[in-house]
Amino acid sequence: MTKYTVLPLDPAVLKELQAVDDAGRPCAPYTATDDDAGSPLRCCLRPVAAGERIALVSYAPLRRWAAATGARPGAYDEQGPVFVHAEECPGFAPGAGYPFDRAGALRTVRRYDARGRIAGGRFLEIPADATAGFDAAFDDAFGDPDVVLVHVRALEYGCFFYEVRRPEAREASGT
């Protein structure tokens, strides 16, 4: 069982991205091929399967969080490509571990403060005990009282995987 709760794309955000992405481009759905299989879906935090209807859209995760909290990330408001379901998504079904936790994969755990500014980060080569490795990285991040959320990203491309918020902030907001 994981110590922290990961947050996939909110279903309302997914609906918006299925129409127009965060770069203002219309969604361009297509049927996933074997080449797409295994790519991470950010709406349900599982790999793409060949034959699914998906889309590659531009997503600005910090912008969405900032709009809900009143933060002003300025230049830290970045957007990047993410795969999503192009139609109805079954949603995220938490499992025993963290999503996309293949041992040996390289991740960045990027920290943000309440203003939406980067407050450091940590390189993580996922260990054999991936859950313990992520728990330790999140413990380290939230050990800094100024850190309110982290983004887990692929090291190779910088792509956003998912968000984790400070546990007491999540409990206080009811999300």
Side-chain angles (χ1 to χ4, degrees):
M1 205 60 186
T2 61
K3 185 174 179 180
Y4 294 89
T5 302
V6 301
L7 300 172
L9 268 69
D10 183 270
V13 170
L14 175 60
K15 286 271 187 225
E16 292 172 10
L17 294 172
Q18 289 169 332
V20 177
D21 72 11
D22 285 348
R25 290 185 292 267
C27 184
Y30 67 97
T31 301
T33 66
D34 289 338
D35 289 340
D36 299 307
S39 295
L41 287 160
R42 285 17 174 255
C43 47
C44 53
L45 300 181
R46 68 162 178 77
V48 169
E52 288 186 284
R53 293 288 292 162
I54 61 170
L56 183 61
V57 299
S58 185
Y59 176 57
L62 195 60
R63 180 183 310 164
R64 303 269 183 176
W65 169 82
T69 64
R72 299 182 60 84
Y76 295 102
D77 174 30
E78 57 188 334
Q79 60 190 26
V82 296
F83 285 101
V84 297
H85 277 114
E87 297 161 351
E88 187 100 11
C89 174
F92 175 54
Y98 291 101
F100 316 118
D101 64 353
R102 180 181 48 81
L106 306 175
R107 301 289 182 259
T108 298
V109 177
R110 188 181 298 168
R111 306 166 185 188
Y112 294 91
D113 66 18
R115 296 176 303 161
R117 308 280 166 86
I118 294 175
R122 176 179 173 181
F123 164 76
L124 175 67
E125 181 174 353
I126 301 175
D129 185 346
T131 299
F134 275 109
D135 281 346
F138 298 146
D139 285 345
D140 183 48
F142 294 121
D144 178 344
D146 291 334
V147 173
V148 297
L149 76 145
V150 299
H151 286 174
V152 174
R153 294 174 173 266
L155 183 67
E156 300 90 339
Y157 301 105
C159 296
F160 172 84
F161 279 112
Y162 56 83
E163 178 179 306
V164 176
R165 295 186 187 169
R166 179 175 287 284
E168 51 274 11
R170 194 180 65 248
E171 292 163 10
S173 69
T175 59

